[in-house]
Amino acid sequence: MSYPMDLPPKDAVGTDTAQAQRPARFAGSGAKSYDARIRRLVPGYATLLDVIAPVLASRIGRGEASILISGAGTGAELSELAFQSTHWRFTAVDPSEDMLAIAGRRADMLGCLEQVDFHACALAGYSCRQPHDAALSILVAHFLPDDGEKAGYFKDLARSLKPGAPLVFADLGRLWEGADRPAYSRWVESVSPDPSAASATVDRIARDFHPVDEARLARLLDDAGFSPPQRLFQVFDFAGYLTVRR
Ligand SMILES: C[S@@+](CC[C@H](N)C(=O)[O-])C[C@H]1O[C@@H](n2cnc3c(N)ncnc32)[C@H](O)[C@@H]1O
């Protein structure tokens, strides 16, 4: 097991190059507040997490399997998956040491720490010894610009998987162009402790995220070596999909 995260959370952005290029939202206090913040940013986040484990279990069964969790963050997926099978092993990859430190403590509390290998790096910096049986990428790819970085990310997922292995991923997309922004804004207002900050949140998402429409998404996946994505979750422009490594 590699578990290099017994580090106190830092208030600065971490040292990893990929992390250094990202805003501080996943470092220091940004990591500490993440679990509360994400529920006020992604409508249906709890439901999204609920469906991941059954979808994976239906594909790979509950026997021995190795599951890559790219952008594992504070370990939300880990807590959903660890109860499915004690035979599943997890590789949690994330450039934020602070997020992974929380994931490590969570795995320890849940009693599944021994099932997890942690790698504090972006997916591009992770080289697997053996391709995995399944992968997750929840709310990660939408941060990557569609200038080659997003395509490279899906290719890195593909090279980390065995042929036939499922990938479950979710991101902000462009599904409901134009119509959803006021509705989403209303939703953020309704769940925010400071409704006046809601429009700033929505503006920040429009500025910082790099959503693509489903035609582009299918193309990126096809180029990377994945089957056409099947949508399994959607609220506003947030959507989750199942695809399979060809
Ligand atoms: C919105 S959080 C999602 C965390 C978790 N998957 C969840 O659903 O709660 C995005 C995470 O992706 C990580 N991340 C950003 N770029 C990444 C990359 N290129 N490879 C892997 N992880 C990345 C961030 O550090 C952050 O922890």
Side-chain angles (χ1 to χ4, degrees), residues 115-154:
Q115 284 170 262
V116 192
D117 284 325
F118 293 91
H119 295 264
C121 60
L123 183 65
Y126 164 69
S127 43
C128 54
R129 270 168 297 177
Q130 288 207 319
H132 297 272
D133 299 299
L136 291 177
S137 169
I138 305 299
L139 308 175
V140 184
H142 56 201
F143 292 117
L144 308 176
D146 191 15
D147 60 359
E149 204 178 337
K150 206 185 287 285
Y153 179 77
F154 283 118

Side-chain angles (χ1 to χ4, degrees), residues 22 26 34 45 70-71 73 77 94-96 99 122-123 138-140:
R22 307 273 171 243
F26 303 125
Y34 174 80
Y45 175 70
S70 177
E77 300 95 319
D94 198 296
S96 168
M99 296 287 274
L123 183 65
I138 305 299
L139 308 175
V140 184

